[in-house]
Amino acid sequence: MEIHKTINGVRQLVRSWKKANLTVGVVPTMGFLHEGHASLIKRAKAENDRVVATIFVNPTQFGPNEDLATYPRDWDHDVSLCEKLGVDSIFNPEPAEMYPSPFFTEVEVPELSLELCGASRPGHFKGVCLVVTKLFHITEPHKAYFGLKDAQQYFILKRLAADLNLDVTLVPCPIVREPDGLALSSRNSYLNPVERQAATVLNKALTAAKEAIDKGERNVKTLLDMIADIVAGEPLAKLDYVQAVETVGLTPVTRIEGECLVAAAMWMGKTRLIDNFVYLWRKN
Ligand code: AMP
């Protein structure tokens, strides 16, 4: 496994692979890797001749009052997990490699960044779009792997790739969960044992809504109220938002029809957690 810290280094490696007609998959991450990241890497390994994992805590996607400084890191663990999973190269640039001064360019899909996490985290998806565009240009992958844990991110990046004719296929991967339903997240490491237990409420609430849709409930207000009520039943939890949107323009819907994303974020102490489900409803 080759570790590259420079754009030129990883670019030369990928170009040598492509010259040999090998296919390349990329898995962008911020490190502190867990089984959710591992599922993306395994999928990339299964579908490509070579896999690059990028590990970069991207400063441009953090707001001024967010957790950039404290974001968890464990380089040795990340390297050994990537090695074990058969990653061919890790790209791990310093911020100055990605954002040399001066740097002025922005990349944005504003229409899709208005709701959900876009409303709670102004500028976040602008940072994501910028870094992922750069990572695509640097690693020139055939396929790129993203978790539906960050469903809005996936839908935004899919639109970005289509609008800019990027020659890469985005592969959405299912959410990996703890046995009690909590979605795996690097930020779960911030939770103390009591918060960790209480954090299961988010998935419980979403699962209850999903079951209600299965039973025929289509009214979004009823569903969102149900989720909010269940989260409110957990004294340690504070709901940030819960919304249902269609999956093309990410605009709010009033009834569950076609493909909808039902997503929520909550605060558990100082930790912000997100979860969601995508529901495909067809008239029989
Ligand atoms: P992050 O390191 O948090 O930026 O995540 C890197 C990639 O891993 C993103 O595409 C995430 O959506 C994905 N990911 C994070 N957690 C999970 C999870 N529990 N299940 C599936 N994918 C995940």
Side-chain angles (χ1 to χ4, degrees):
M1 186 174 74
E2 289 190 21
I3 296 171
H4 285 282
K5 298 195 73 77
T6 67
I7 291 168
N8 198 40
V10 74
R11 185 174 263 162
Q12 294 313 319
L13 177 66
V14 171
R15 288 192 178 163
S16 73
W17 292 337
K18 291 177 97 174
K19 228 174 174 170
N21 270 330
L22 299 171
T23 58
V24 180
V26 70
V27 182
T29 81
M30 298 206 299
F32 208 70
L33 303 180
H34 51 62
E35 282 304 312
H37 301 110
S39 72
L40 272 52
I41 293 172
K42 286 178 196 161
R43 178 95 179 257
K45 280 293 292 178
E47 296 182 356
N48 301 275
D49 298 319
R50 295 289 182 271
V51 171
V52 178
T54 73
I55 298 182
F56 179 56
V57 182
N58 173 37
T60 64
Q61 71 190 66
F62 287 77
N65 298 316
E66 293 185 353
D67 56 347
L68 173 61
T70 55
Y71 195 82
R73 294 160 201 250
D74 189 343
W75 174 248
D76 292 343
H77 170 263
D78 290 353
V79 170
S80 59
L81 182 61
C82 285
E83 193 109 53
K84 191 181 103 189
L85 294 171
V87 166
D88 297 283
S89 179
I90 296 177
F91 177 50
N92 174 233
E94 292 299 323
E97 177 75 1
M98 293 295 276
Y99 302 113
S101 182
F103 193 103
F104 298 128
T105 302
E106 295 182 343
V107 186
E108 203 178 359
V109 188
E111 286 295 308
L112 304 195
S113 307
L114 298 172
E115 307 290 340
L116 311 159
C117 287
S120 303
R121 303 185 67 189
H124 169 66
F125 289 115
K126 208 156 124 174
V128 169
C129 288
L130 176 61
V131 78
V132 172
T133 303
K134 285 172 69 72
L135 291 171
F136 284 173
H137 284 300
I138 292 163
T139 61
E140 297 172 349
H142 296 92
K143 291 187 176 182
Y145 294 79
F146 294 93
L148 285 172
K149 157 89 180 349
D150 301 275
Q152 185 177 17
Q153 167 175 280
Y154 166 70
F155 289 115
I156 288 175
L157 294 174
K158 195 167 81 156
R159 173 52 50 195
L160 173 97
D163 289 354
L164 297 183
N165 310 99
L166 303 185
D167 194 12
V168 53
T169 303
L170 271 64
V171 181
C173 301
I175 302 176
V176 177
R177 299 179 179 282
E178 299 282 5
D180 64 6
L182 178 68
L184 295 193
S185 164
S186 305
R187 289 190 170 95
N188 291 349
S189 64
Y190 295 145
L191 303 171
N192 68 36
V194 177
E195 290 171 338
R196 165 65 189 82
Q197 178 56 39
T200 56
V201 72
L202 188 56
N203 182 241
K204 281 187 192 137
L206 287 163
T207 302
K210 196 174 178 183
E211 285 168 5
I213 304 174
D214 285 339
K215 289 190 188 132
E217 183 61 66
R218 300 270 169 270
N219 185 303
V220 164
K221 186 174 180 323
T222 306
L223 293 163
L224 300 188
D225 285 350
M226 175 189 293
I227 293 167
D229 285 348
I230 295 174
V231 173
E234 170 48 65
L236 293 178
K238 189 169 165 296
L239 194 65
D240 176 18
Y241 73 79
V242 57
Q243 277 194 306
V245 299
E246 42 76 28
T247 58
V248 178
L250 303 188
T251 57
V253 292
T254 54
R255 286 182 67 74
I256 299 292
E257 270 166 4
E259 189 178 67
C260 293
L261 166 64
V262 181
M266 72 170 189
W267 287 95
M268 178 55 61
K270 291 196 167 91
T271 307
R272 186 173 175 278
L273 301 173
I274 58 172
D275 202 348
N276 71 79
F277 64 89
V278 175
Y279 204 100
L280 182 57
W281 185 79
R282 284 199 198 89
K283 265 184 218 154
N284 292 322

